[in-house]
Amino acid sequence: MDLTKSRIAQMEIKAPLAGFVVFGFNYAQGYLNAKPFKVGDNAFSGMILAEMPDLDTLELDAKVEETDRGRIAVKQEARVRVDSLPELTMAASIGHISLLAEQSYSWPPSRSFHAYASIAHPIRACVPA
C-alpha cells in the first residue's frame, strides 16, 4: 500500500500558472472513436497528455463587416461575448486590424476585415470565482 501511495504521489503535477487544462485525445479505439484521456487510460512515455494554455496570450479573432470597419480603431475598448458563455462579458482592447478585406463567396457575397483584440484580464474573466 505504501508503494502504491508513493507512485500516486509521483503522478501529481503542479500547474505553473492559473487557467484551464485541455486534455488530448486518446486514439486507442481509432480516429472516429477518439475521446479525451481519463483516469485509467494507458499512456506511453513522452507523450503529451494535456496542455495548459497561457491565458495572458489569449487573443480574439473577429470578422468585421466592411460597413462597420470605419467605426473601429486600434486601442479602442471592446466588450467580448462568447456563444458558449452568453452570460459572460469580457473587456478587451483592439490590438490590430487587417488592411485587406477578405471576400466571401457565400450568398449574399460580402467583404470583411479581421480584427484582433486582447482580453484585458483573462484570468478574472475566464476562471470562475
Side-chain angles (χ1 to χ4, degrees), residues 69 71-78 92-97 115-118:
R69 171 60 183 91
R71 298 181 189 167
I72 64 171
V74 175
K75 296 185 181 176
Q76 183 178 3
E77 296 298 317
S93 174
I94 297 174
H96 57 281
I97 305 165
Y116 302 93
S118 57

Side-chain angles (χ1 to χ4, degrees), residues 36-122:
F37 276 94
K38 61 184 184 307
V39 176
D41 286 349
N42 291 327
F44 57 88
S45 175
M47 75 176 297
I48 298 173
L49 277 177
E51 65 180 355
M52 191 168 198
D54 185 7
L55 295 178
D56 289 331
T57 62
L58 193 62
E59 187 175 64
L60 172 78
D61 179 8
K63 286 188 178 181
V64 179
E65 292 294 324
E66 188 176 28
T67 56
D68 296 328
R69 171 60 183 91
R71 298 181 189 167
I72 64 171
V74 175
K75 296 185 181 176
Q76 183 178 3
E77 296 298 317
R79 289 186 309 254
V80 176
R81 285 185 293 163
V82 184
D83 290 340
S84 59
L85 297 168
E87 69 278 356
L88 179 66
T89 302
M90 298 176 275
S93 174
I94 297 174
H96 57 281
I97 305 165
S98 66
L99 299 175
L100 298 174
E102 180 180 271
Q103 179 76 38
S104 84
Y105 296 103
S106 61
W107 187 258
S110 65
R111 292 190 297 190
S112 60
F113 294 86
H114 280 277
Y116 302 93
S118 57
I119 296 175
H121 303 288

